[in-house]
Amino acid sequence: MPELPEVETVRRGLAERLEGRKLTRVVQRRPDLRQPFPPDFAARLTGRRIESISRRAKYLLWHLDDHSVLIMHLGMSGRITLHAGAGHAGAAPGGSGQTPGTGRHDHAVFEVDDGTVAVFNDQRRFGLITLTRAESLAEHPLLRDLGPEPMGNSFGPEALSGALAGRKTSIKVALLDQKVVAGVGNIYACEALFRAKISPRRTAATIPGKRAQRLAQAIREVLGEAIEAGGSSLRDFTDTNGELGYFQHRFAVYGRQGEPCPSCGGPKGIQRIVQAARSTFFCPRCQR
DNA sequence: CTTGGGTCCTGTGCGC
DNA sequence: TGCGCACAGGACCCAA
């Protein structure tokens, strides 16, 4: 589900209400997600202060006051919601009236010292939660091979064409490789290629020069606009308050097979193909 | 090294 | 109404 813009939207919601707070209660409700929780998970977190919450690619990083870092990934269906403390008499969003954190797919619960409760929910359990040390964060196996942050200074046309050099796979499949650029997923790969007018079927290595410029620019633009819109909500995604994102209304191609191309209006319209077992949407007339 | 395919898991929507 | 299949914002692991 969540790609970079959705994870960034969640990060902002969490940071606003959890940074500076102390974890007073942590509940682990099953032994594993995509991988096992670390040993003594709840005990190692309880009493720790959350100093900051950052993001790398699609990973959320909770930096704690003992130099440990809580790493979270939302997989395809993960979400994190915040619920006001019991004394605050606010309707808990998405909680359907019951105690937050007790739902069928609520896998971990984090309560802080003002009573706010963060609930990690993941229907498909492709997400993960683990702990590491701040000193070795960059070398963590989950993070060490990630490519540049697309919104950062180390990403641009040169970095992109460098990462694509010699690769015979299609540009669409290459963009999903987190080593090429970190945080792009299926939706934004399709949307960026449309904006750059590049065919998703084009061989990745044939992108350098002007195409790499257009594509790097398109990736930054589409991700930036999606972050501003609070991400995209197709089926499960909500922000930490249970609110939907609205960038899905601005998709040019994703999920729009058969509709006229918003750019050329061509007769065949938007096509859907399958690449590496994922749907790709594009306009064969505009994208070359 | 790259690449393609299968896999994890639950849920929904469609055609028959 | 029921059943089976395709598909869903991701990313590992393994064989070739």
Side-chain angles (χ1 to χ4, degrees):
Chain A
M1 153 245 236
E3 306 183 31
L4 188 152
E6 292 74 39
V7 178
E8 178 60 21
T9 298
V10 170
R11 188 200 67 77
R12 293 178 180 186
L14 295 175
E16 189 181 326
R17 286 171 60 187
L18 299 185
E19 281 181 354
R21 294 280 167 204
K22 186 181 281 193
L23 287 160
T24 50
R25 187 175 65 96
V26 176
V27 183
Q28 174 194 334
R29 301 190 64 227
R30 54 171 298 121
D32 55 43
L33 295 169
R34 192 174 87 210
Q35 58 175 238
F37 280 77
D40 307 313
F41 176 73
R44 286 162 68 185
L45 292 174
T46 306
R48 302 276 60 78
R49 187 172 301 279
I50 302 162
E51 297 197 322
S52 62
I53 299 180
S54 67
R55 179 189 57 73
R56 173 79 172 104
K58 300 171 193 169
Y59 292 92
L60 288 166
L61 306 172
W62 300 29
H63 303 266
L64 307 179
D65 62 356
D66 64 347
H67 291 211
S68 62
V69 181
L70 179 60
I71 303 178
M72 289 187 180
H73 194 284
L74 301 177
M76 289 280 261
S77 57
R79 36 174 156 180
I80 302 173
T81 49
L82 291 170
H83 307 264
H88 293 252
S96 62
Q98 56 180 329
T99 310
T102 58
R104 174 145 145 73
H105 301 297
D106 293 342
H107 305 311
V109 182
F110 306 86
E111 184 169 341
V112 294
D113 53 3
D114 71 346
T116 301
V117 177
V119 177
F120 182 102
N121 176 288
D122 184 7
Q123 182 173 102
R124 294 176 71 181
R125 305 206 300 274
F126 288 173
L128 75 87
I129 299 178
T130 192
L131 271 169
T132 191
R133 303 291 315 165
E135 301 76 45
S136 56
L137 186 61
E139 286 78 49
H140 195 283
L142 292 168
L143 305 179
R144 68 183 172 206
D145 296 325
L146 291 170
E149 279 294 319
M151 307 305 282
N153 293 331
S154 57
F155 179 72
E158 308 79 14
L160 183 58
S161 39
L164 297 175
R167 301 205 47 173
K168 299 172 90 141
T169 192
S170 68
I171 183 60
K172 158 68 179 347
V173 173
L175 286 179
L176 297 181
D177 181 347
Q178 301 297 295
K179 296 200 246 330
V180 171
V181 52
V184 174
N186 204 37
I187 290 178
Y188 299 106
C190 293
E191 294 293 318
L193 286 167
F194 175 78
R195 289 191 186 208
K197 300 195 182 299
I198 296 170
S199 168
R201 295 196 256 227
R202 176 174 279 277
T203 301
T206 68
I207 293 295
K210 278 201 99 128
R211 286 194 179 87
Q213 288 219 343
R214 292 207 307 268
L215 184 53
Q217 172 80 11
I219 290 168
R220 293 176 79 120
E221 274 180 18
V222 73
L223 294 178
E225 290 173 28
I227 291 168
E228 280 182 51
S232 302
S233 295
L234 293 188
R235 44 183 62 77
D236 350 72
F237 178 72
T238 66
D239 70 14
T240 54
N241 296 314
E243 305 284 339
L244 300 177
Y246 54 87
F247 193 74
Q248 66 277 12
H249 303 301
R250 311 232 308 259
F251 292 166
V253 291
Y254 189 85
R256 296 195 182 278
Q257 69 271 34
E259 295 183 30
C261 167
S263 177
C264 73
K268 292 190 68 181
I270 304 303
Q271 307 289 300
R272 174 184 177 273
I273 58 173
V274 175
Q275 297 178 287
R278 315 289 304 274
S279 291
T280 298
F281 302 90
F282 72 113
C283 172
R285 197 158 135 187
C286 292
Q287 297 175 249
R288 296 290 166 174

